Amino acid sequence: MWQKIDNITPLNAIEKTDKILDRLHLDGPLVFGILSILIFGQFILFSATSGDWTRLIYSVLRIFIGITVMVILAQLKPAVFKLATPWLYGIALILLLLVDIIGYSGNGAQRWLDLGLLRFQPSELMKLGVPMMCALYLCERSLPATSRELGVLIPLILVPAGLTIVQPDLGTGILILAAGTAVVIFSGISWRILSFLGTAALAFAWAGWSFLHNYQQKRILTFLNPDSDPLGSGYHIIQSVIAIGSGGVFGKGYMHGAQGQLAFLPERSTDFIFAVVGEELGLFGAIILMSLYLLVVLRTLYLATQMRDTFACLFSSSVAIMFFFYVFINVGMVIGVLPVVGVPLPLVSYGGTAAVTMLASFGILMSLHFHQKSNL
Amino acid sequence: MKAQTIIKDMWQELKLFRRRVIVSIIIIGLLFISLFARLIWLQLYRHTHYAGLALDNHVRNEPIQAARGIIYDRNGLILAENKPSYQLELVPELVPNLQKTLQYLVQIGLMTNKDALEAQRTIRSRRSFDSVPLRLNLSEEDMARFAVNRFNLQGVDIHTRLTRYYPQGEYAVHALGYVGSVSESDLSYIDRDAYAGTSLIGKIGIEDAYEKELHGINGVRQIIVDAHGRSAQLNKDWEALAEQPSTAGNDLFLTLDFLVQKAAEDAVWNKRAAVVALDPTNGDVIALVSRPGFDPNLFARSIMQSEFSDLNENLDRPLFNRAINGMYPPGSTLKPVVALAGLNFSLIKPEETHYCSGFFMLPGISHRFRDWKPRGHGSMDMVSALAQSCDVYFYALADKLGVRRIHDYLAQFGLGALTGINLRGEKPGLLPSPDWKRKKFNGKSAQVWFPGDTITLGIGQGYMLTTPIQLAQMTAVIAARGERFVPRLVRATRDPVSQKTTALLVQRLRRAEAGKPEDWDSVIDGMIAVTHGGTATAVGNNSPYAIAGKSGTAQVFSIAQNAKYDESKISERMRDHAWFIAFAPADAPRIAVAVLVENGRSGSGVAGPIARIVLDAYLQRKFPPSLPHDTLKENNTTAPVAVEREE
């Protein structure tokens, strides 16, 4: 009888869930963070589409696919990923080239391959491919990397990033660059080399940029970033800042944001969905969502430090950095402190395959975390 | 061995890795804090600012049009009102099949094929959620037909809007004026905010002069709109919306007596003519007619270009207000005032006679100033000189008076100056003087005021010009024995909310002086004699009250010395203008009237009977039967009138 009562104490319930999560190779806090963001996101999406059930159902379906991929990947052994990495990178690179060539010969910008049933973006694969490849390359060598090894790493990152940027897809390109660079930095490369490389890159970019005419610069900017300013007056940013500012501390209430509901806010279900959060749920809601993001980033970094394998450490930490960049670039853009680049708010924005990729990388990360003993 | 070094390196590498993670956590933390700081700045510190901007985005102030004041005549008859007009409107985005819907409307007879084509063009140029008017001014029958077929006409509906309506049509149009669409030039002098939502504004006449009284105060209704400017459905409790109702404009009560106005207007319907009737006791305008006229409703329902050019290019100038803008020599109608001047300066006595031999000569000049009666009138005293309109008597009197005294005396009667009636564009006429001539002309010889100029001024010819309203005022001053008033059209205004009526003040002017009170009687006796045995006996026939009158003809062009005035050789538009002034009853005048008929030739024969109609209408409430104007128009207006020419 006592036993029975014990069974339903909260403590016991938590222990039980822990066991289930353990068996599924899922990390409790991380899954809690991800699921909270996903649920929060679906509510906001429903409001941002002014109560469009069809889009909500599509979005929920996509998330289930993403979660399934995450759970399946978490069951696989790390050796599989290491083995798959060169293939993944190689295939993604070929597809990327293919898309670029089709894009040029076809009618302008093209980011995806149309496989009939779903449109597939090779650049999404590269978000996984680049950090995995860099991590794989470094894990077989003693660290920190030498300058000769850097000579391999830099093209390994820059080629796919560059191919993505000229698609043009500046947002994804920057994320690939960030993920790859994160691996290099976390591998312990000395600050001296890093600052040298950074300065060189900046100087190179500045020199190249200043050689161009004004109209060429403008053309490149609009080419790389066609969505940035369609009305030529920063309309997107003005409206999203008004939305957020007018939300105040507690917001105008769910489904009651005039800026969003009356279509003043552009792209409100995709790139500018954070403005809906700020308007309808206020500072309060925005900080809750940001805190959930921070929780996921920090938990991922923590898990990375608990790993014993160089590949695992480097890949996991780059996942955290990539996720952080997603949030930082998107929120920074929406609140008007960063330029407009087409980066969605991860796990919340509607559409695309970004959420699936992100969930897949969390799946790989958890696999690495739970299999580390057997791997060593 | 190899494995050992790897493990050793491993610990080293992990330590390095963890240090890097800590650094990255610090950086990430700082960046997150900066995002939080920005959010706090926007949502806490600048919240009021952005909340205002958001409101500006989606709350639109929609004006509610105030009803324009109603205009009544002195007896409460409506001259201008607001009428709901029903119009068929269509919202493109609510119509399932535009082609089919328009075809159906043609089928049931609510539109013609031509209308449908034009509607399609209009629809294409509008936003899909804007209501597009298909047809204006639906009849009761149209509305019934729509109601029966409504089930087939999704997206089509009937809307009402207020338009200005002038129930009397062309009558009194030159006094009332009209309203028209607010134009770019109107916007330069009105308060744009006050006129937001107002589509019609007074253009001329009373509608223009009393625009401030009539307009009222527009209200404001706040509505929620989305980014496309579409009114958002109010299925959510948005911010509290304010609404301020409109205040209707003040009603006007005119001094016009519409029945008298109509009688006068009917009498001159197919002529180019003006009639002004005043109340000599207070300056009230009883009738103000200028013919031809036009239908002000054309302007209120927005006039078409073709209709406007028809009016504007018409040779008879229907848009021209002859009563206040037309300037004509007064002719013999000036004689009573010249007689008064003579009495005032004690240059003549009423009973003093002057022999009329048929012409007048200035000493030392061979020029003969001819009387209209070649053989002369014989011995004339003041009464008979007025009754027979003897020119020689007044040539001699003008010579005695001299131009300065004539000028100053005539000015007392308002001649040569604006009467001050509250209508836009009144003309002052012209009261000539030596000073005027010096300024007006170039060259020494042209600038000299000749004695002969004074002589012709004595019978109202030469340089002198007057408007019909000036002569009406002059007549009223004689009738009131010197009392002078600003002619007024509006007697009172009424606030439609409180129903409080405010009377407008009578504006008395400096009175005209005559030497002795009896002098007025002498001149009035002369004017009574005009219609009782004088030149215009027909005007006074069978009158139950004494009529004081005076006829006149204004020369359109001058005839050479010794030449005969041969009517048949002169084109209709070169004929003399006909004047008649009158007031009655002569002993206690209640109405003074001035009638001008352009190219009417005979003051007593053409203008006189019209004056009689106006007097009878006002004093006896005797109105001639209304005439069907369409048939009247076809009549020849230039039928010869057998009368002897005066002067």
Side-chain angles (χ1 to χ4, degrees):
Chain A
M1 199 168 157
W2 284 110
Q3 194 66 39
K4 250 183 180 175
I5 291 161
D6 267 10
N7 270 348
I8 52 164
T9 55
L11 209 70
N12 248 0
I14 289 172
E15 264 175 28
K16 235 178 162 178
T17 354
D18 266 358
K19 265 185 194 159
I20 295 166
L21 286 172
D22 244 23
R23 207 165 299 155
L24 282 170
H25 298 161
L26 297 176
D27 179 62
L30 188 58
V31 168
F32 167 78
I34 290 169
L35 285 182
S36 305
I37 292 169
L38 284 172
I39 292 165
F40 191 109
Q42 294 316 292
F43 273 102
I44 284 301
L45 185 68
F46 188 63
S47 172
T49 58
S50 302
D52 184 343
W53 286 99
T54 328
R55 279 207 271 177
L56 183 70
I57 289 163
Y58 272 119
S59 173
V60 169
L61 273 176
R62 201 170 285 139
I63 283 163
F64 269 108
I65 293 170
I67 289 174
T68 313
V69 169
M70 179 178 83
V71 174
I72 289 171
L73 288 179
Q75 313 314 312
L76 299 179
K77 291 203 161 154
V80 179
F81 301 122
K82 283 190 179 176
L83 215 63
T85 300
W87 291 99
L88 178 70
Y89 186 87
I91 291 168
L93 194 62
I94 291 165
L95 290 176
L96 209 52
L97 276 167
L98 217 64
V99 167
D100 277 8
I101 291 162
I102 293 169
Y104 277 120
S105 57
N107 50 351
Q110 196 149 2
R111 295 178 184 178
W112 54 74
L113 287 176
D114 205 335
L115 300 183
L117 199 66
L118 88 168
R119 290 190 295 199
F120 168 74
Q121 295 187 30
S123 56
E124 284 297 327
L125 274 188
M126 268 306 180
K127 280 195 221 162
L128 291 176
V130 166
M132 283 170 88
M133 193 65 196
C134 292
L136 187 70
Y137 179 78
L138 284 172
C139 82
E140 287 159 4
R141 284 160 180 81
S142 77
L143 296 181
T146 62
S147 42
R148 246 183 62 202
E149 286 156 353
L150 273 177
V152 178
L153 281 170
I154 289 171
L156 220 51
I157 299 165
L158 281 187
V159 170
L163 286 174
T164 308
I165 288 174
V166 299
Q167 275 182 348
D169 188 350
L170 185 61
T172 312
I174 287 174
L175 288 171
I176 292 171
L177 203 62
T181 313
V183 173
V184 176
I185 293 172
F186 282 114
S187 74
I189 187 169
S190 82
W191 294 114
R192 265 220 332 257
I193 298 175
L194 200 65
S195 54
F196 170 75
L197 281 178
T199 318
L202 276 177
F204 182 75
W206 180 80
W209 189 246
S210 55
F211 260 109
L212 295 173
H213 283 292
N214 218 344
Y215 74 93
Q216 289 171 316
Q217 294 175 350
K218 225 173 202 168
R219 198 179 292 173
I220 287 173
L221 282 177
T222 40
F223 168 74
L224 292 179
N225 195 13
D227 308 324
S228 62
D229 198 358
L231 292 181
S233 57
Y235 180 80
H236 281 37
I237 291 304
I238 291 167
Q239 292 300 338
S240 75
V241 168
I242 290 175
I244 290 172
S246 65
V249 176
F250 295 106
K252 297 178 187 170
Y254 185 63
M255 297 277 266
H256 278 75
Q259 284 286 107
Q261 301 298 332
L262 297 172
F264 289 97
L265 196 59
E267 308 285 339
R268 60 189 183 284
S269 61
T270 53
D271 286 359
F272 282 84
I273 199 163
F274 187 75
V276 177
V277 178
E279 185 183 26
E280 298 191 350
L281 306 178
L283 184 62
F284 191 68
I287 285 180
I288 287 179
L289 182 59
M290 299 277 283
S291 305
L292 289 173
Y293 280 123
L294 194 58
L295 166 71
V296 171
V297 171
L298 293 181
R299 180 66 186 177
T300 311
L301 280 175
Y302 170 76
L303 291 179
T305 59
Q306 299 311 104
M307 293 177 189
R308 294 290 177 274
D309 174 51
T310 309
F311 175 79
C313 288
L314 293 181
F315 174 71
S316 305
S317 56
S318 95
V319 168
I321 294 304
M322 187 163 69
F323 193 69
F324 165 73
F325 259 77
Y326 254 122
V327 178
F328 184 72
I329 293 178
N330 179 274
V331 174
M333 160 181 96
V334 172
I335 65 179
V337 291
L338 290 180
V340 179
V341 283
V343 170
L345 187 63
L347 308 182
V348 174
S349 283
Y350 177 78
T353 42
V356 178
T357 320
M358 209 62 239
L359 288 169
S361 41
F362 284 120
I364 296 170
L365 179 135
M366 286 188 278
S367 154
L368 295 173
H369 173 62
F370 280 93
H371 291 91
Q372 49 186 314
K373 278 171 197 143
S374 54
N375 193 40
L376 277 170
Chain B
M1 181 66 195
K2 202 186 171 192
Q4 264 184 345
T5 52
I6 289 171
I7 290 165
K8 206 180 165 192
D9 284 346
M10 199 62 196
W11 285 111
Q12 199 64 36
E13 286 167 17
L14 265 176
K15 248 171 83 183
L16 189 61
F17 174 70
R18 283 180 186 171
R19 276 217 304 274
R20 290 282 156 108
V21 169
I22 288 163
V23 172
S24 70
I25 287 174
I26 291 167
I27 294 172
I28 287 170
L30 287 174
L31 289 177
F32 257 92
I33 286 168
S34 71
L35 291 183
F36 285 144
R38 171 74 177 171
L39 279 172
I40 289 167
W41 163 259
L42 289 178
Q43 299 193 292
L44 204 64
Y45 190 74
R46 298 280 286 165
H47 167 61
T48 338
H49 170 71
Y50 287 112
L53 288 180
L55 278 183
D56 287 350
N57 260 347
H58 67 267
V59 176
R60 187 148 304 164
N61 288 339
E62 203 183 50
I64 309 170
Q65 193 177 348
R68 201 172 168 84
I70 295 165
I71 303 178
Y72 300 93
D73 88 334
R74 66 163 58 191
N75 300 316
L77 187 82
I78 290 176
L79 301 182
E81 63 183 322
N82 306 307
K83 210 174 110 181
S85 101
Y86 299 94
Q87 56 188 43
L88 201 61
E89 291 186 9
L90 173 149
V91 182
E93 68 173 6
L94 298 180
V95 178
N97 184 338
L98 191 65
Q99 278 293 338
K100 243 172 99 182
T101 304
L102 288 176
Q103 245 160 35
Y104 190 73
L105 283 169
V106 173
Q107 228 172 55
I108 61 172
L110 280 176
M111 290 175 88
T112 63
N113 268 318
K114 214 177 123 201
D115 288 343
L117 277 177
E118 199 168 305
Q120 260 183 325
R121 220 171 308 139
T122 321
I123 288 162
R124 246 176 277 135
S125 69
R126 299 288 186 87
R127 296 178 296 187
S128 66
F129 50 84
D130 277 342
S131 203
V132 181
L134 297 179
R135 245 198 75 190
L136 310 176
N137 296 322
L138 293 181
S139 67
E140 296 278 323
E141 195 201 327
D142 290 333
M143 304 217 319
R145 205 174 303 157
F146 172 79
V148 173
N149 291 290
R150 187 170 211 151
F151 63 93
N152 246 332
L153 292 167
Q154 202 187 326
V156 183
D157 209 346
I158 285 178
H159 288 260
T160 34
R161 63 177 188 142
L162 282 183
T163 49
R164 196 65 160 168
Y165 177 62
Y166 302 96
Q168 314 302 345
E170 291 196 19
Y171 288 111
V173 64
H174 283 291
L176 281 175
Y178 55 80
V179 294
S181 309
V182 180
S183 68
E184 217 31 61
S185 62
D186 292 327
L187 288 174
S188 61
Y189 64 87
I190 57 174
D191 176 4
R192 276 169 191 263
D193 289 342
Y195 276 77
T198 301
S199 53
L200 298 173
I201 188 171
K203 293 289 185 182
I204 59 161
I206 290 165
E207 290 274 28
D208 163 54
Y210 291 86
E211 175 66 27
K212 275 211 180 84
E213 294 278 349
L214 291 166
H215 181 255
I217 302 160
N218 285 343
V220 177
R221 183 192 297 123
Q222 291 191 323
I223 56 163
I224 301 284
V225 293
D226 68 10
H228 311 289
R230 182 192 316 229
S231 170
Q233 302 208 319
L234 295 173
N235 53 358
K236 291 181 183 174
D237 45 333
W238 298 106
E239 296 82 350
L241 295 174
E243 181 164 341
Q244 192 190 341
S246 62
T247 312
N250 289 339
D251 297 336
L252 297 185
F253 287 92
L254 302 191
T255 57
L256 287 186
D257 186 327
F258 180 73
L259 291 175
V260 178
Q261 170 87 21
K262 183 169 180 292
E265 209 150 335
D266 280 342
V268 295
W269 192 263
N270 284 321
K271 298 182 165 70
R272 292 182 302 279
V275 179
V276 179
L278 299 175
D279 183 335
T281 64
N282 56 14
D284 281 0
V285 179
I286 296 162
L288 189 132
V289 175
S290 174
R291 284 299 304 171
F294 56 93
D295 186 353
N297 291 308
L298 292 181
F299 288 87
R301 67 148 173 75
S302 83
I303 191 162
M304 285 185 289
Q305 189 54 46
S306 62
E307 293 170 326
F308 183 74
S309 26
D310 277 356
L311 287 175
N312 204 28
E313 287 155 21
N314 188 328
L315 219 60
D316 291 339
R317 302 175 71 193
L319 296 175
F320 180 59
N321 189 348
R322 292 169 163 77
I324 61 165
N325 293 331
M327 298 199 288
Y328 313 86
S332 302
T333 56
L334 199 65
K335 284 173 183 167
V337 186
V338 177
L340 277 169
L343 297 173
N344 181 52
F345 294 110
S346 305
L347 296 173
I348 48 166
K349 291 196 172 67
E351 60 280 6
E352 237 174 62
T353 59
H354 183 94
Y355 186 80
C356 168
S357 60
F359 60 89
F360 174 80
M361 286 177 78
L362 282 167
I365 300 172
S366 64
H367 183 91
R368 287 184 170 192
F369 293 90
R370 296 180 176 281
D371 196 283
W372 63 271
K373 197 170 179 184
R375 275 173 293 130
H377 291 95
S379 186
M380 290 271 117
D381 66 358
M382 182 174 283
V383 169
S384 55
L386 282 169
Q388 301 304 321
S389 199
C390 172
D391 288 341
V392 170
Y393 182 92
F394 287 96
Y395 288 146
L397 181 52
D399 184 40
K400 278 188 204 164
L401 278 164
V403 64
R404 278 174 216 286
R405 281 197 284 203
I406 296 177
H407 174 274
D408 294 348
Y409 193 75
L410 293 186
Q412 288 193 88
F413 288 76
L415 297 169
L418 297 176
T419 64
I421 189 169
N422 197 355
L423 291 178
R424 190 191 290 249
E426 192 199 351
K427 289 272 154 52
L430 175 60
L431 183 55
S433 69
D435 287 344
W436 164 81
K437 203 174 178 191
R438 201 175 312 119
K439 279 182 204 141
K440 169 83 183 175
F441 294 102
N442 290 319
K444 271 270 183 285
S445 59
Q447 286 177 337
V448 175
W449 182 269
F450 296 106
D453 291 341
T454 310
I455 306 304
T456 47
L457 181 58
I459 62 158
Q461 303 288 7
Y463 300 114
M464 177 135 190
L465 292 172
T466 53
T467 60
I469 189 150
Q470 279 179 329
L471 280 200
Q473 192 190 35
M474 179 192 86
T475 312
V477 174
I478 300 170
R481 289 162 158 75
E483 295 277 8
R484 190 152 72 97
F485 302 92
V486 174
R488 61 167 193 172
L489 278 163
V490 179
R491 194 160 52 89
T493 64
R494 183 174 66 185
D495 183 326
V497 180
S498 64
Q499 292 288 314
K500 212 186 97 186
T501 307
T502 314
L504 300 188
L505 291 180
V506 168
Q507 277 180 275
R508 194 183 289 268
L509 295 166
R510 214 168 71 89
R511 51 172 296 134
E513 299 297 341
K516 297 187 289 290
E518 308 89 76
D519 293 349
W520 294 104
D521 296 326
S522 310
V523 170
I524 290 169
D525 284 347
M527 289 177 75
I528 293 170
V530 169
T531 62
H532 298 85
T535 54
T537 307
V539 174
N541 261 354
N542 306 320
S543 170
Y545 46 83
I547 299 171
K550 186 70 198 78
S551 60
T553 38
Q555 284 168 6
V556 174
F557 77 118
S558 37
I559 312 153
Q561 189 74 181
N562 296 323
K564 276 211 84 173
Y565 181 90
D566 186 353
E567 258 180 14
S568 58
K569 285 190 183 162
I570 302 170
S571 80
E572 197 236 328
R573 276 174 204 273
M574 291 309 239
R575 291 172 189 162
D576 288 348
H577 300 318
W579 276 113
F580 200 85
I581 61 168
F583 60 87
D587 48 342
R590 285 165 53 206
I591 178 170
V593 63
V595 177
L596 169 92
V597 180
E598 279 186 19
N599 313 117
R601 285 170 299 178
S602 165
S604 53
V606 174
I610 295 164
R612 174 70 190 270
I613 290 171
V614 176
L615 297 181
D616 280 354
Y618 185 65
L619 295 171
Q620 287 194 279
R621 309 313 287 171
K622 208 172 104 186
F623 304 107
S626 297
L627 298 168
H629 292 126
D630 293 344
T631 56
L632 256 175
K633 265 179 192 164
E634 287 157 21
N635 289 347
N636 189 353
T637 57
T638 58
V641 183
V643 279
E644 202 174 357
R645 188 171 168 269
E646 302 149 41
E647 286 162 301

